[in-house]
Amino acid sequence: MKTAFGDMARPSETFAGESGSMVLALHEGRVVGMQGIKIMEAGTAEMVRWSIAENFRGKGLASSILRSNLIIAKQMKTHRMFSYTANPVAGQILERSGFKVSEKRGPARRYEIELPDI
C-alpha cells in the first residue's frame, strides 16, 4: 500500500492484535491520515503516530480519525486515553474533543481523557 508516511508503510504490523489499533484514512488507495493507539497498562491507551498529509489538513480528517479511535479504545476496554504533542493544532483538536492538559514538558503537553462506559 502506498503511504505519504515513509516510516509507516506497514502500520498493521506495528499495531495489530490486542495491544493496539491503527486507523487509516485512504484517498485513491493512498494513506493520507493515520492515528494509532497502544494499550499501555490495564485500562489505559496512548495515542501514537497521529499524522495527516499536508494537503488534507484543515478538513476535519484528524477529528474523524480521533473519534474512531476513541470508540475503538472503549471496545478494547480502556477507561483512559492520553497523548503527548507539541503541535498546537493537535492540542486544539484534543481539547475540542474533551481532552485536558495533565502535564507540561517544555513545548509538549500531555492530554488525557476519561472514557465513559459504553
Side-chain angles (χ1 to χ4, degrees), residues 17-116:
E18 295 178 15
S19 64
S21 175
M22 174 64 76
V23 172
L24 302 175
L26 303 175
H27 177 74
E28 296 179 355
R30 186 175 172 93
V31 176
V32 297
M34 67 182 161
Q35 182 189 65
I37 54 174
K38 295 286 278 185
I39 305 303
M40 303 303 292
E41 56 190 49
T44 302
E46 179 181 13
M47 288 189 326
V48 295
R49 298 298 213 181
W50 195 9
S51 292
I52 305 296
E54 196 169 324
N55 55 331
F56 285 84
R57 294 178 185 166
K59 300 178 182 187
L61 184 57
S63 295
S64 294
I65 292 172
L66 174 59
R67 281 191 301 273
S68 295
N69 260 333
L70 289 170
I71 292 167
I72 291 167
K74 281 307 299 174
Q75 291 171 342
M76 295 177 83
K77 308 287 189 227
T78 62
H79 305 288
R80 179 182 310 110
M81 184 180 281
F82 71 94
S83 180
Y84 286 98
T85 186
N87 181 319
V89 174
Q92 291 171 355
I93 293 168
L94 290 166
E95 288 178 0
R96 282 195 310 262
S97 298
F99 284 75
K100 305 289 184 209
V101 174
S102 64
E103 181 182 340
K104 297 179 182 180
R105 291 185 188 174
R109 306 286 185 263
R110 177 181 167 127
Y111 292 85
E112 291 188 31
I113 190 169
E114 296 290 325
L115 302 174

